[in-house]
Amino acid sequence: MTGPALLESQRVRQEIRAGRITGTSRGLAHGFVQCNLAILPREYAFDFLLYCQRNQRACPVLEVTDPGSVTPKKLAPTADLRTDCARYAIYRDGVRTEDRTDIAELWCDDLVTFLIGSGISIDGALENAGVPTHKDRWVLRTTLPTEPAGPFRGDMIVTMRWLTGPQAITATQVTSRFPFNHGAPIHLGDPAAIGADLANPLFGGTVPPTPPGIVPAFWACGVTPQSAAENAKLPFFISHAPAHSFITDLPAQALMSA
């Protein structure tokens, strides 16, 4: 007698936990919400929550765990936050000191996990609408300030995509229906207007000159709260590594507005 079939999200997390998937979460478990992780000591949790509340476009919080809990009970009740993300980034005093595929040895009862909506979640919806998501995509710093809270502060991080004019219109229409995955673009057009740092991308490789007929489109990015935590120079902080988001069991369409 067999048990109930696994969701694709559960199957992928099992593969990650077993070490058989170690790369980017992009393209995995299409149709399920992916989250950025921010794991920090309880004493900083309120200020961090306040920072996210004040900067919801970049920091849409979907769940916050109880201190010490390793399971996001709402989003993935069979998951283990210590093992089910393919790569974690470990920060000490604001410096990324190492990456790990398992953080069980670092876990303690004082840690609170924030699960923050990721733009990767809407790749499926964009693909279905005819907007490609597999290339021409970068994560960049800007000079757009966020509203601080306690020690958390810094400029907004964005995801830039190169799109044609019609694709940019479609992408705006599609993403505007996903407010918990950053919503519509915050800017279309000249990167300099928002101080986007094309010379030093955080993810995506070198940015070549923009081809004719291409519109740079910019979305708020869930790396923003991670950057704010770096700026706070917390003694200890854990996040997902870039493009290695945590996969939940929540269908992406469940977060789609009417």
Side-chain angles (χ1 to χ4, degrees):
M1 186 173 179
T2 60
L6 290 177
L7 297 173
E8 178 63 7
S9 55
Q10 295 171 327
R11 185 195 68 78
V12 171
R13 287 201 307 270
Q14 284 190 355
E15 293 291 295
I16 290 172
R17 188 182 302 183
R20 290 188 288 268
I21 293 178
T22 59
T24 176
S25 61
R26 186 166 294 136
L28 299 179
H30 257 332
F32 289 93
V33 170
Q34 297 195 23
C35 287
N36 299 322
L37 297 181
I39 305 171
L40 64 164
R42 180 178 186 173
E43 68 176 292
Y44 302 105
F46 175 77
D47 282 337
F48 189 76
L49 181 61
L50 187 59
Y51 178 81
C52 292
Q53 189 274 332
R54 290 175 175 173
N55 300 282
Q56 292 186 41
R57 288 290 293 276
C59 317
V61 174
L62 298 180
E63 185 169 355
V64 182
T65 66
D66 292 327
S69 175
V70 299
T71 302
K73 297 175 183 178
K74 182 176 75 170
L75 295 178
T78 64
D80 188 325
L81 290 164
R82 300 169 298 183
T83 58
D84 294 358
C85 188
R87 184 166 295 276
Y88 303 84
I90 315 302
Y91 294 83
R92 293 181 173 87
D93 299 321
V95 177
R96 184 173 173 179
T97 57
E98 61 178 311
D99 285 6
R100 293 195 179 198
T101 57
D102 183 316
I103 56 171
E105 290 183 359
L106 301 175
W107 198 264
C108 65
D109 291 340
D110 186 49
L111 294 177
V112 176
T113 301
F114 289 76
L115 292 94
I116 299 169
S118 168
I120 293 176
S121 303
I122 53 177
D123 280 357
L126 288 171
E127 292 280 356
N128 290 338
V131 179
T133 64
H134 63 286
K135 63 175 184 176
D136 299 335
R137 175 174 175 163
W138 297 266
V139 175
L140 308 170
R141 296 188 183 278
T142 74
T143 56
L144 295 174
T146 60
E147 186 174 352
F152 300 101
R153 64 196 64 244
D155 294 333
M156 184 180 291
I157 309 296
V158 298
T159 298
M160 179 180 75
R161 303 173 191 253
W162 275 356
L163 304 173
T164 65
Q167 288 171 349
I169 293 172
T170 299
T172 299
Q173 293 171 333
V174 170
T175 57
S176 66
R177 300 184 67 188
F178 291 88
F180 288 96
N181 302 108
H182 308 303
I186 60 164
H187 177 63
L188 297 170
D190 184 7
I194 58 172
D197 186 359
L198 303 184
N200 301 287
L202 300 177
F203 186 79
T206 302
V207 182
T210 306
I214 289 297
V215 178
F218 300 85
W219 279 263
C221 178
V223 178
T224 302
Q226 175 184 323
S227 178
E230 291 179 55
N231 294 336
K233 300 189 184 304
L234 304 186
F236 183 65
F237 172 72
I238 301 173
S239 75
H240 67 294
H244 292 72
S245 301
F246 176 82
I247 297 170
T248 78
D249 298 335
L250 184 67
Q253 288 193 340
L255 295 180
M256 185 171 66
S257 63

